[in-house]
Amino acid sequence: MKLGVSSYCFRSLMTSGEMDLIAVLDWVAASPAGHLEIAAMDGEYYLENDAVVRDTAAHANDVGVPIVNYLVSGDLRTAEDKEIDRLRRQLDVAHRFGARIFRHDVAPWAWREQDPGEFESTFAQVVEGCRAVADHAAELGIVSTIENHGFFMNGSDRLARLVHAVDRPNFRVTLDLGNGLCVGEVPGKTAAGLIDIAASVGVKDFHIRRSAGDGWLKTLAGDYLLGTISGHGDLDLAGLLALVSTKPDVPVSLEFEGLESTPDAIERSLNNILRLAGAA
């Protein structure tokens, strides 16, 4: 299993200024992880700071930690030229980082259609936008992906339908093993439905409850989720990782989003994933 870590795991330390991408790369180089996934969920920072991208790419090469995936927000509900152009420029950033996989959203995380008609009309626009982005990605030798993320484009059936409709050989899925829970889909169905069209995999774990206090995410099924150290939650990670192991060339990245202190929680998660996958 090609196990790495997402920079999203370090978001609190990066936000506080305690770490930057260079420090994250150094941490990864000394850890059980073998690659880095960069989550640029903070807007246009890397678009506007080319020197940071250049220096990060050079340092990744120096320490032997490849950058495999670059993740950005996106909103293709209307397939506007301005947004498509922005995502194309973000693809150029991914190329400068040396990433060969690019993940973009197609709607704000919390947005959900109000009725089937709105879903169908929005879906048609999303297909056109994804095609335009994927075509530019192909010019750069990059696989463009959509993640099962948020409340609109989530669930294995919706993502598989989107990949089929976009119909581009370099348009695939970044499969998050836990995110299907947000829309009431059990993780086993998510993984089984998407593993064959996955270009990358994200691993996380959740505590799952039928009732909870502040700080928990309520799903469409009425459950409550709280991120935690991988192996400490309620997901059947051993079973999910066994399925992922059938695709040994697909990079797997930890995405820790719990309340436990980092980076200790990140290291514990990586070690637990390796143990559960039988690769320790």
Side-chain angles (χ1 to χ4, degrees):
M1 183 176 60
K2 296 181 177 179
L3 179 62
V5 63
S6 174
S7 68
Y8 187 77
C9 299
F10 299 89
R11 65 198 180 281
S12 61
L13 297 174
M14 294 180 71
T15 299
S16 69
E18 294 178 64
M19 295 183 76
D20 58 11
L21 279 180
I22 300 298
V24 169
L25 282 166
D26 288 338
W27 189 95
V28 174
S31 80
H35 65 252
L36 180 66
E37 171 187 274
I38 295 180
M41 312 312 292
D42 52 354
E44 312 301 288
Y45 179 78
Y46 298 118
L47 273 175
E48 299 167 352
N49 290 274
D50 189 62
V52 173
V53 176
R54 181 197 63 224
D55 293 346
T56 300
H59 194 70
N61 184 67
D62 290 343
V63 298
V65 177
I67 297 168
V68 301
N69 197 1
Y70 180 60
L71 288 68
V72 302
S73 60
D75 187 357
L76 294 174
R77 289 175 295 170
T78 59
E80 291 182 352
D81 290 343
K82 181 179 180 181
E83 177 66 351
I84 291 171
D85 287 344
R86 185 187 70 85
L87 289 173
R88 286 171 173 154
R89 288 186 289 115
Q90 287 281 26
L91 267 165
D92 295 339
V93 172
H95 184 64
R96 292 196 290 275
F97 270 130
R100 288 295 172 260
I101 304 169
F102 176 74
R103 191 231 74 168
H104 64 87
D105 287 326
V106 298
W109 180 86
W111 188 79
R112 181 78 175 188
E113 77 281 358
Q114 296 301 305
D115 55 61
E118 186 178 21
F119 172 79
E120 293 300 333
S121 61
T122 304
F123 183 84
Q125 295 294 323
V126 165
V127 169
E128 293 306 312
C130 287
R131 284 175 178 164
V133 174
D135 287 344
H136 184 59
E139 296 172 358
L140 301 172
I142 291 175
V143 175
S144 181
T145 72
I146 174 69
E147 182 181 344
N148 52 316
H149 186 234
F151 289 96
F152 169 59
M153 195 50 62
N154 201 342
S156 55
D157 291 344
R158 288 191 173 190
L159 268 76
R161 179 184 172 189
L162 180 61
V163 170
H164 177 76
V166 172
D167 193 26
R168 295 292 190 270
N170 70 316
F171 184 71
R172 310 286 281 178
V173 169
T174 287
L175 163 60
D176 187 291
L177 295 178
N179 278 352
L181 287 164
C182 296
V183 295
E185 183 170 84
V186 296
K189 182 178 187 301
T190 302
L194 297 177
I195 189 63
D196 286 337
I197 55 173
S200 64
V201 173
V203 181
K204 60 164 61 93
D205 205 350
F206 289 115
H207 297 299
I208 307 172
R209 300 290 184 270
R210 287 302 299 173
S211 62
D214 292 341
W216 293 63
L217 170 68
K218 186 176 183 179
T219 74
L220 295 185
D223 294 318
Y224 290 83
L225 307 178
L226 182 67
T228 189
I229 293 169
S230 291
H232 287 194
D234 295 314
L235 270 66
D236 176 21
L237 283 185
L240 293 170
L241 292 169
L243 179 61
V244 170
S245 70
T246 65
K247 306 290 182 179
D249 292 331
V250 174
V252 178
S253 299
L254 168 69
E255 184 179 322
F256 169 73
E257 55 184 25
L259 300 179
E260 297 91 343
S261 62
T262 55
D264 178 70
I266 302 170
E267 185 171 6
R268 288 176 181 272
S269 292
L270 290 170
N271 287 328
N272 285 342
I273 291 168
L274 289 170
R275 177 178 56 79
L276 290 169

